[in-house]
Amino acid sequence: MEKILALKFELEAKKNKNQAIILKRFFKTAPNQYGAGDIFWGIKVPALRIIAKKYKDLNLNEVFNLLKDPVHEVRFTAALILVGQYEATTNKGLHRKIYQFYCKNLDCFNNWDLIDLSAYKILGHYLYNYKSYQERLVILKDLALSNNMWRQRAAMVSTFYFIKKGRYQETFKIADILLNIKEDLLAKASGWMLREVGKRVSEKKLCLYLDKNALKMPAIARLYAIERLDKKTRSRYLLRKIDKKLQ
């Protein structure tokens, strides 16, 4: 408990009211918005990283205590510590322990920056290295089919790890599930991961996927997905001039 109190004391000392106002708007904390009720202290990420490194040896019970805190930066620091502990080891048993802890407490990662920081580094890494293709699909589909936006985003963003390993199959499967979802943060996540497939794996595979699905995608997802394509190809998808035989 002393470590937790010390960490929170250090964070609170860095509070910035003006920055907090900006962050509250940026993370949509007004009533009925996705971040409604979230509390911000206005601390920038580099400062959070420094403090997270200082307290990198907190145990999981202490990390859990931080994840339950109403202050966003406290939860973000907890996420940094958890990711740091996962990446600092190659021990399968410890990876499993942190992965299970992460999945059990995934609802604490209740904003897009918390998901984007952690999902591919913990969930993606673990599924790629310790689960078969079919096993990982079951887990990812369960998240993608949930009614929780953050779990759905975690399913999508976790595939970034697979993309970095040269795979696209998992990304396309989850993108299919989220294809008709209009929620902005999910559409952006899908478009982002599809763009990364084109960038890091195969532009041809991306275009084949878009030929079949672009007309069904929310506009923002399509815009993200085609961002790195050449001008002529982008125009084709923007103008919805897609061969109807491929639909």
Side-chain angles (χ1 to χ4, degrees):
M1 184 60 70
E2 289 183 4
K3 290 182 180 179
I4 294 173
L5 292 174
L7 184 152
K8 290 183 180 180
F9 180 81
E10 289 196 40
L11 288 175
E12 194 164 8
K14 295 184 178 296
K15 288 171 65 174
N16 183 314
K17 290 183 178 179
N18 292 331
Q19 183 67 17
I21 292 171
I22 294 171
L23 292 176
K24 286 178 182 179
R25 292 172 180 166
F26 184 70
F27 284 97
K28 310 294 185 184
T29 62
N32 299 319
Q33 293 184 317
Y34 67 77
D38 209 351
I39 299 170
F40 283 85
W41 279 349
I43 309 170
K44 294 185 177 181
V45 173
L48 298 178
R49 291 189 182 279
I50 291 171
I51 293 175
K53 288 181 180 180
K54 184 175 179 179
Y55 293 89
K56 64 182 180 180
D57 295 325
L58 292 183
N59 62 47
L60 291 182
N61 287 332
E62 291 168 325
V63 173
F64 175 74
N65 184 295
L66 296 174
L67 285 173
K68 301 297 288 186
D69 198 276
V71 177
H72 188 92
E73 287 90 342
V74 175
R75 300 198 306 282
F76 193 93
T77 303
L80 285 170
I81 292 170
L82 193 66
V83 169
Q85 290 180 354
Y86 188 93
E87 293 184 325
T89 184
T90 58
N91 182 280
K92 181 178 179 180
L94 186 52
H95 275 166
R96 181 173 61 252
K97 185 176 182 180
I98 295 174
Y99 161 77
Q100 291 173 340
F101 174 87
Y102 180 75
C103 292
K104 182 178 180 180
N105 296 291
L106 189 54
D107 289 343
C108 296
F109 295 77
N110 55 352
N111 217 312
W112 60 264
D113 60 332
L114 301 175
I115 292 295
D116 295 358
L117 164 67
S118 59
Y120 77 93
K121 292 181 178 180
I122 297 178
L123 180 59
H125 178 280
Y126 190 87
L127 295 181
Y128 180 86
N129 287 285
Y130 303 122
K131 298 290 185 180
S132 68
Y133 173 65
Q134 292 302 325
E135 288 173 326
R136 68 178 73 127
L137 275 187
V138 169
I139 294 168
L140 291 175
K141 285 182 177 180
D142 183 62
L143 291 170
L145 290 168
S146 74
N147 292 319
N148 183 291
M149 177 171 66
W150 307 121
R151 288 176 174 267
Q152 292 173 303
R153 188 171 173 106
M156 190 75 254
V157 175
S158 67
T159 70
F160 193 23
Y161 188 88
F162 310 138
I163 293 168
K164 289 186 172 186
K165 294 296 183 179
R167 292 186 59 80
Y168 63 89
Q169 293 89 340
E170 293 87 352
T171 301
F172 286 178
K173 291 288 186 182
I174 303 307
D176 284 345
I177 294 174
L178 301 180
L179 196 60
N180 297 310
I181 294 180
K182 299 296 191 273
E183 170 54 53
D184 197 52
L185 288 176
L186 295 179
K188 288 179 178 179
S190 290
W192 170 26
M193 289 301 106
L194 290 172
R195 181 189 72 204
E196 293 301 318
V197 168
K199 174 184 174 182
R200 298 170 183 267
V201 183
S202 169
E203 190 172 292
K204 181 179 179 181
K205 293 291 185 183
L206 170 60
C207 289
L208 287 173
Y209 184 86
L210 292 173
D211 287 341
K212 294 179 181 179
N213 297 294
L215 289 177
K216 308 171 191 175
M217 298 167 63
I220 190 65
R222 187 162 16 116
L223 284 171
Y224 272 51
I226 67 176
E227 190 174 27
R228 294 184 63 86
L229 300 177
D230 64 77
K231 184 176 180 179
K232 182 178 179 181
T233 306
R234 288 201 311 273
S235 297
R236 182 164 70 92
Y237 292 121
L238 285 172
L239 295 172
R240 303 170 72 92
K241 292 180 180 179
I242 301 170
D243 189 343
K244 296 299 181 181
K245 294 179 181 179
L246 295 175
Q247 303 305 308

